[in-house]
Amino acid sequence: MSDLHSMIDRSRLPSHIAIIMDGNGRWARERGQDRVFGHYEGVVSVREIVDACGELGVQYLTLYAFSAENWNRPKAEVDALMELLVNTIRKEVDDLKKNNVKLHVIGDFASLPQICQQEMTEAMEITSMNTGLNLVLALSYSSRFELLQAARKIAEKVAAGALKPEDITEDDFQAGLDTHGFPDPELMIRTSGENRISNFLLYQLAYAELYFTPVHWPDFRKQNLYDALLDYQRRERRFGKTSEQIQKNIVPNV
Ligand code: FPP
């Protein structure tokens, strides 16, 4: 096997990678196991990918760990996922601190069980001084809900007379998003063969490179991340410009 790791150009890494970790249930079913077994094995992948991103020097990693729509799953699975999140954070927080990882949570925090809110708040406090990888967990997250909340915040400012509709800027709008202060993801990975965005960071992914792989999340390990990064580095990011402009670094006439 070629050494994928050494082929990665560290000067051209995405500053923010977002991942839809899909396929835990199918991975477990294919092995004749309960779906929850797939989520447990998925945590091993989480650990590996966090480790790999920290080691490479990626600044932000956002993981879609629980969507707002996931509340509709059978209660036993929802309970098992919440317990897994709480236990994993409790178990890993010392290592996160030691490895200079700073934890953040985006999503409808108030809708999470009390114990989950407590554990996450504590882990965010413990890691708040860290300066390495920012690990962002999307929990009870819905991009449409986040956009709606941002629109409400702007509407309140307008209603209070603090802002005129014609003066609203993209920065004003972004200030109301959960991801305020984070760079937009430059690479979005979805595992398990589904080619959808599924209500994940709809605003923030405007210019992201999308990478879809058939590999189920519990099988997605460091080598798979390196594969995705090499694919990303082979692409040309044009942001609406022509290929010639990008290659010659031509600044458009104004
Ligand atoms: C999608 O697979 C996965 C989830 C809904 C949960 C992902 C959560 C984890 C891996 C645990 C995360 C833990 C931490 C600490 C971040 P699926 O169940 O939808 O799979 P399927 O599409 O095959 O049914």
Side-chain angles (χ1 to χ4, degrees), residues 76 118 122 149 190 195 206:
Q118 266 170 28
E122 206 172 299
Q149 295 291 92
R190 182 174 188 150
N195 299 350

Side-chain angles (χ1 to χ4, degrees), residues 21 46 50 61-66 85-86 88-89 96 102-109 112 116 120 123-124 134-141 178 182 200:
M21 309 180 288
V46 168
V50 169
L61 172 67
T62 297
L63 300 176
Y64 205 0
F66 193 87
L85 277 165
V86 167
T88 303
I89 291 301
L96 292 176
K102 183 171 178 173
L103 185 74
H104 308 259
V105 175
I106 59 171
D108 186 9
F109 199 71
L112 296 168
C116 189
M120 294 296 157
M124 284 190 282
N134 289 279
L135 172 62
V136 184
L137 297 185
L139 298 179
S140 192
Y141 178 82
D178 292 356
F182 305 166
F200 184 48

Side-chain angles (χ1 to χ4, degrees), residues 14 25 73 76 83 90 105 116 118-119 122 134 171 183 191 193-195 197 207 218 235 248 251 253:
R73 292 194 174 194
E83 200 182 312
R90 196 175 280 160
V105 175
C116 189
Q118 266 170 28
E119 211 63 43
E122 206 172 299
N134 289 279
D171 283 349
T191 58
E194 310 292 349
N195 299 350
I197 306 284
Y207 287 103
R235 299 187 195 184
K248 295 188 179 156
V251 180
N253 295 329

Side-chain angles (χ1 to χ4, degrees), residues 21-27 35 39 42-43 46 63-65 70 73 77 81 84-85 88-89 137 192 217:
M21 309 180 288
D22 199 9
N24 294 352
R26 276 165 283 170
W27 184 91
R35 295 173 50 82
H39 299 316
V43 172
V46 168
L63 300 176
Y64 205 0
N70 285 154
R73 292 194 174 194
E77 185 174 343
L81 267 168
L84 181 61
L85 277 165
T88 303
I89 291 301
L137 297 185
S192 207
W217 177 250

Side-chain angles (χ1 to χ4, degrees), residues 2-186:
S2 63
D3 184 5
L4 299 178
H5 181 260
S6 68
M7 289 160 69
I8 295 170
D9 177 352
R10 297 205 177 205
S11 69
R12 290 195 305 119
L13 285 169
S15 56
H16 186 169
I17 302 174
I19 307 185
I20 301 180
M21 309 180 288
D22 199 9
N24 294 352
R26 276 165 283 170
W27 184 91
R29 286 287 183 230
E30 282 168 14
R31 284 157 182 77
Q33 300 273 359
D34 190 82
R35 295 173 50 82
V36 173
F37 181 63
H39 299 316
Y40 277 83
E41 197 58 27
V43 172
V44 182
S45 299
V46 168
R47 203 174 293 126
E48 272 218 11
I49 300 309
V50 169
D51 194 41
C53 285
E55 185 270 321
L56 283 166
V58 171
Q59 290 169 37
Y60 286 82
L61 172 67
T62 297
L63 300 176
Y64 205 0
F66 193 87
S67 73
E69 291 78 15
N70 285 154
W71 292 116
N72 298 321
R73 292 194 174 194
K75 187 177 179 312
E77 185 174 343
V78 171
D79 289 350
L81 267 168
M82 288 298 143
E83 200 182 312
L84 181 61
L85 277 165
V86 167
N87 289 342
T88 303
I89 291 301
R90 196 175 280 160
K91 192 162 147 250
E92 299 291 334
V93 66
D94 289 343
D95 273 356
L96 292 176
K97 184 170 183 196
K98 197 172 76 206
N99 295 330
N100 204 16
V101 177
K102 183 171 178 173
L103 185 74
H104 308 259
V105 175
I106 59 171
D108 186 9
F109 199 71
S111 70
L112 296 168
Q114 206 59 40
I115 178 75
C116 189
Q117 292 187 34
Q118 266 170 28
E119 211 63 43
M120 294 296 157
T121 304
E122 206 172 299
M124 284 190 282
E125 275 167 18
I126 291 171
T127 61
S128 64
M129 301 308 279
N130 284 351
T131 55
L133 175 70
N134 289 279
L135 172 62
V136 184
L137 297 185
L139 298 179
S140 192
Y141 178 82
S142 150
S143 185
R144 285 187 173 179
F145 180 74
E146 180 191 30
L147 290 167
L148 193 62
Q149 295 291 92
R152 283 191 181 127
K153 287 176 204 163
I154 290 274
E156 277 163 16
K157 283 189 188 156
V158 171
L163 193 61
K164 290 190 195 142
E166 61 271 26
D167 291 340
I168 298 170
T169 62
E170 284 193 17
D171 283 349
D172 292 327
F173 193 79
Q174 278 180 28
L177 298 174
D178 292 356
T179 53
H180 174 56
F182 305 166
D184 285 342
E186 290 165 304

